[in-house]
Amino acid sequence: MSTTQTIRAHAEVWPELPLHQELVLQDTRGNRIVGTLDGMTEDRSTLWIQLSGGLGRQLVHHQDGYWLEPGSAS
């Protein structure tokens, strides 16, 4: 996938996901966010993840450069 395609794919809003769904997000540097979906804005542009290991919550916008790892939201 080219850089242009990657950026375009990451600019899309998050898919519809049920609350408390286990998720793994990753960015181009290999950073991972692991936890469960704690909330999502109505327009699906932003989500809250309750981080695994009791590390609190993290807000992630769809343009922050993260994508769902395949199979993490199934």
Side-chain angles (χ1 to χ4, degrees):
M1 184 181 286
S2 75
T3 303
T4 303
Q5 289 171 326
T6 302
I7 291 169
R8 200 172 296 135
H10 296 177
E12 297 172 10
V13 296
W14 302 108
E16 288 189 46
L17 299 165
L19 282 179
H20 311 296
Q21 170 71 49
E22 293 185 16
L23 302 174
V24 179
L25 303 177
Q26 184 171 344
D27 70 8
T28 57
R29 296 174 300 196
N31 296 319
R32 297 175 81 218
I33 300 172
V34 179
T36 57
L37 181 64
D38 195 39
M40 181 180 287
T41 57
E42 223 174 278
D43 65 1
R44 298 191 339 249
S45 67
T46 308
L47 52 82
W48 281 101
I49 297 180
Q50 183 68 46
L51 301 172
S52 295
L55 298 174
R57 293 171 70 203
Q58 184 166 344
L59 181 69
V60 183
H61 189 268
H62 71 101
Q63 292 181 332
D64 285 348
Y66 287 91
W67 64 88
L68 285 170
E69 281 191 0
S72 73
S74 53

